[in-house]
Amino acid sequence: MSLQVNLRLLEKGILHLDGDIPASELAPEFHDELMRLVHPVEYDLEVERQPDGLLVTGTLRTHVDCECARCLKPFVLPIRVDDLSRLALLEAVDGGDADEVLPVDGDFADLTPVVREDILLALPTNPLCSPNCRGLAPKGVARGSQVREQAGPNTAWSALDKLKL
Ligand SMILES: [Zn+2]
């Protein structure tokens, strides 16, 4: 179900909407080498009728499956939009950008484009597993991973030794 708001109800006052929208419905055309939108986006919105459109405010929440741009490690990045505030037009304005007009079907306007835009704006250009990720070792990667493999069991054994004591 897409994120629809009843325009007749809006004439009577502010509407509160919450729920979630599947990623497949929100941004099916989204493609990025390092980020995948696969989790639903939770929304908690207030919608208010304005003379020329709908004022949408509230919060959005989701998480994104990422690969670190530096070390290529997969990680999950939480995305929050805490201060969404957008005036979405219901009709094209002269000289305005047609993309900003909400799709309207009968008495219902679809707010999906507003949520999509704010989520996409909240995504990082380069997702990083941590702000100080040092990335892959510039050289000797194979040797580095060998060292790590050796370190693994050793650490495990020393932990076991401590337990025995
Ligand atoms: Zn990283």
Side-chain angles (χ1 to χ4, degrees):
M1 204 188 100
S2 60
L3 182 44
Q4 303 218 311
V5 62
N6 186 321
L7 295 171
R8 280 182 189 276
L9 283 178
L10 263 181
E11 283 167 13
K12 295 176 188 157
I14 295 175
L15 283 185
H16 183 245
L17 301 170
D18 58 37
D20 53 60
I21 182 165
S24 56
E25 204 171 293
L26 183 73
E29 72 290 350
F30 177 80
H31 288 293
D32 189 280
E33 278 183 30
L34 299 174
M35 287 179 278
R36 291 197 306 135
L37 292 179
V38 287
H39 304 282
V41 174
E42 290 172 43
Y43 56 85
D44 189 339
L45 302 174
E46 296 214 320
V47 188
E48 187 180 352
R49 190 76 167 91
Q50 299 273 309
D52 43 358
L54 303 179
L55 179 63
V56 186
T57 54
T59 61
L60 304 174
R61 216 147 286 217
T62 189
H63 37 283
V64 180
D65 287 354
C66 294
E67 237 174 72
C68 177
R70 288 191 196 146
C71 71
L72 304 181
K73 188 175 83 177
F75 69 103
V76 176
L77 180 70
I79 298 284
R80 290 172 59 140
V81 179
D82 285 324
D83 52 356
L84 187 153
S85 175
R86 192 174 286 271
L87 181 66
L89 301 180
L90 290 171
E91 284 171 39
V93 180
D94 284 345
D97 183 349
D99 289 347
E100 290 174 5
V101 181
L102 290 182
V104 177
D105 185 4
D107 288 335
F108 290 90
D110 187 359
L111 296 181
T112 310
V114 176
V115 174
R116 177 190 304 129
E117 196 171 336
D118 273 80
I119 285 293
L120 295 184
L121 283 175
L123 296 178
T125 327
N126 284 314
L128 295 178
C129 63
S130 99
N132 351 311
C133 173
R134 291 150 126 211
L136 296 167
K139 53 184 173 181
V141 174
R143 209 169 46 178
S145 63
Q146 251 175 12
V147 169
R148 250 194 310 260
E149 273 164 25
Q150 283 171 5
N154 284 344
T155 332
W157 283 118
S158 52
L160 278 177
D161 287 341
K162 275 181 200 156
L163 280 177
K164 280 180 202 158
L165 293 172

